[in-house]
Amino acid sequence: MTHTDYKRRQFLQYATLGTIAATLPGFALAKNQGFNKAPNSSFKADVEIALTAQTADVPILAGAHTHVFKYTGKLLKGPQSALKELPGYLGPILNFEQGQKVRIYFYNQLQEPCVTHWHGMHVPQVMDGHPMYAIYQGEQYVYEFEVKNPAGTNWYHSHTHELTATQVYQGLAGLITISDEAERKLDLPSGEFDLPLVIQDRSFTNGNQLRYMLNRHQRMRGFLGDTILVNGQENSTIPVKTRAYRLRILNGSNSRIYKLGWEDGTPMTAIGTDGGLLEKPETLPYIMLAPAERVELWVDFSGRKPGSDLMLQSLAYQGSAAHMGGDMGGGMRQGMGRMGRMDGASAQNEVISIAKFHITEQISDSPKLPTELVPMRPLTAQDISNPDKTIPIAIGMRHMTFQLNGRTFDMQGHTELEKIPVNSVQKIRIFHDNHGMGGGRRGDRGGMGMMMAMPHPIHLHGQQFQILSRKQNNLSGAYETVRDGFINNGWKDTVLVMPGEEIEIIKPFKDYTGLFLYHCHNLEHEDMGMMRNFFVS
């Protein structure tokens, strides 16, 4: 798509917005400020950061540098710990404290429009990164928000309409950590013992340039690369000591789902998920991690011998594109993080090495895993504002296009079903609609059969939610390979809906009015229109 075509369409969208500004709380503020192009003098920021989206050439593989899109950051005000640069193409880690007021000057130096979404953060509509606020090369957007989230791990990434997949793939992503007083009292591993792991899959040309080419099947399934990168680096080897560590893991891939497990079968201990710390640690044999999901692990290397290694892997499983067939995007290159030849019908049914932890030093001092983490009140039916009404999110397909509630994305569009009263708590049912308004017809090649074969990570903007229930309607051997890897407690913003699965969640819509997105976080699906608005008013 050309810059001119996109700009013309966005001009028409803005013209439409002008006619409904009175019905969109928050939009008038953005309009009056030239879409937040200047700081609000009444907002007294504790932290100020300049964040620029630009091109760069960085080392990823041996040999030639790779041309990427990259967020670069500069701390203008606040503690030095608020911004930590990483080597490679990922944006800086932004470290915030609950209660801080944050101002981010976002500059776009790319030759295409761009907007940044603060994924998992509870912020007003005009600060959330809705694609209606995309800016062009040379323009500025000022984000201002108070950090209301509890301690946890979130992230930020491009959210430009029809360009999210390509812009994130080229590098526009970074991690956010939040601290609070309750977390500090736990004395969890910190400093060098608090490790971020951003997992992404990419493909490269022989000249080390990113390759992103989609045929029809790849577009429907989502992009799968042939090389695993951790924190933007290949063949990741992480030196550790014989003590406990906190691992903050983000699946930053476009569409690949990971079944995380240790090579030697050691169980995984989770202490946090998307929305922050859990009430108490949970032990699982493996953990399913869909695009955009985060998990925090407690990993104790005590008792392991210096010089030994422990490999983090993605284990084999079934349930992704099981009936699609055809070309699934080639095979992984050999080596750590490089996958061998893939069967077209089981693109993720193989073991993948992700990162090697190399024990370098034996020490005796190590913290103990807390038995309790943070207090958490489970939301129940008594909290629902309208117990007789359940909001549907129906995953469907028609004419080779994924849909939600029978529709594709409309920049300002919303239906009666998508109107939510502000300061309410809603029950939402997410399910596969195989026969109704969003389903493919029986016998429709590429319709129902393909849709039913696909898992979908569904992300809801705004406040985090809790999972009420999971129900699998067509139990099969495929589901048995993933069922023990879901963390259903705690706060979430993204939930993986497997084929045949029905999930009920309970979600607050507090504080802020306006349009808040919900969409599939398979980024190719999002760019194809698998995204809708909730209108909170």
Side-chain angles (χ1 to χ4, degrees), residues 438-456:
R441 293 172 297 178
R442 292 186 181 277
D444 178 10
R445 262 188 95 190
M448 185 173 70
M450 184 180 291
M451 181 210 48
M452 288 182 65
M454 292 294 294
H456 294 278

Side-chain angles (χ1 to χ4, degrees), residues 384-392 415-421 425-429 504-505:
I384 299 171
S385 300
N386 186 352
D388 298 327
K389 179 182 179 183
T390 299
I391 309 297
T415 65
E416 284 297 316
L417 282 174
E418 295 164 329
K419 291 183 178 180
I420 308 289
V425 177
Q426 302 291 331
K427 183 169 75 169
I428 300 173
R429 173 174 169 253
E504 286 191 339
I505 66 173

Side-chain angles (χ1 to χ4, degrees), residues 317-337:
Y317 69 93
Q318 299 175 40
S320 177
H323 305 109
M324 287 178 64
D327 176 17
M328 301 299 287
M332 282 281 185
R333 297 186 292 168
Q334 296 299 316
M336 191 174 81

